[in-house]
Amino acid sequence: DLELVWEKVLPIRSGEKLIWLSMLGGRVYGLSSRNYMVSLDPSDGRTIFARPVAEPDVPVGRLEMYGNVLLAVQSGEMVMMDPRDGHKLKAKRMEYGILCPPARNSSRIYLAGADRRLHVLRAKDGVELFEVAPDDGSLIDWVAADEQFVIFSTMSGRLVSMAADKPVRLWRFEVSK
């Protein structure tokens, strides 16, 4: 039988909705429809922080974590936040819309742009190193990275793997066929 360990009423206003819940780096993160973020300890429900992370009308994407930094997309900005308190560490405005959560390894950040390209940035300063595009020009809707390779998927049903440090395709798989 399942047993209730803890239950928590989230500190959000009446009429607000929880739009996503995620578990990263040993914490539970939730975001309300008015961009109020809460971080909880999953073992006991203790609040780590609860604060607004963007203006209520600014779209905020799902979080990703790399090391001790939370990565998010907020209305065309790539934002790095401190997981201890939710404060912005850095933000970089992009010239293109960003379609999905960023991916990262120790030296690079990978952003799927609304311009139908995967943009590869140097992690330490955000300088763009190169960009790649799917053969069919389709939008990229997901990206994951490690130290050796990057995999992204496209709206047309392709999975593509490339080298993490240069624009070299390793393989392509047609999911939709």
Side-chain angles (χ1 to χ4, degrees):
D1 290 333
L2 290 178
E3 186 178 308
L4 183 64
V5 175
W6 58 266
E7 184 175 1
K8 180 88 170 183
V9 175
L10 297 177
I12 60 177
R13 295 180 187 165
S14 176
E16 265 183 286
K17 296 178 180 156
L18 184 66
I19 58 171
W20 57 253
L21 196 61
S22 188
M23 194 152 172
L24 297 166
R27 301 255 172 90
V28 176
Y29 295 92
L31 187 75
S32 81
S33 55
R34 295 185 50 79
N35 290 333
Y36 196 80
M37 185 179 288
V38 62
S39 172
L40 306 173
D41 183 318
S43 65
D44 59 11
R46 181 177 50 89
T47 300
I48 307 299
F49 70 82
R51 63 182 309 278
V53 292
E55 293 298 318
D57 58 342
V58 172
V60 176
R62 286 195 176 270
L63 295 175
E64 292 293 325
M65 183 171 251
Y66 184 80
N68 60 352
V69 175
L70 293 170
L71 300 171
V73 174
Q74 295 179 5
S75 188
E77 278 189 330
M78 180 188 55
V79 177
M80 297 176 187
M81 295 186 287
D82 188 328
R84 296 171 297 182
D85 58 18
H87 285 99
K88 278 185 189 178
L89 299 171
K90 283 190 211 176
K92 180 173 173 83
R93 171 127 333 259
M94 309 315 287
E95 295 175 13
Y96 44 85
I98 304 168
L99 299 178
C100 64
R104 178 164 176 190
N105 63 25
S106 64
S107 59
R108 291 175 177 76
I109 297 171
Y110 304 87
L111 300 173
D115 59 355
R116 301 175 187 270
R117 301 192 179 292
L118 181 67
H119 297 265
V120 181
L121 287 66
R122 192 168 43 221
K124 68 180 179 182
D125 57 13
V127 170
E128 186 162 316
L129 300 172
F130 61 89
E131 60 186 47
V132 297
D135 294 341
D136 65 353
S138 180
L139 288 170
I140 297 168
D141 59 2
W142 176 82
V143 60
D146 75 2
E147 298 302 322
Q148 282 75 45
F149 59 89
V150 176
I151 296 176
F152 61 87
S153 66
T154 69
M155 296 293 282
S156 65
R158 291 182 177 177
L159 280 177
V160 178
S161 177
M162 63 177 248
D165 60 347
K166 55 188 169 257
V168 174
R169 184 175 66 201
L170 303 174
W171 53 260
R172 180 180 70 199
F173 179 73
E174 304 286 336
V175 177
S176 62
K177 289 187 178 183

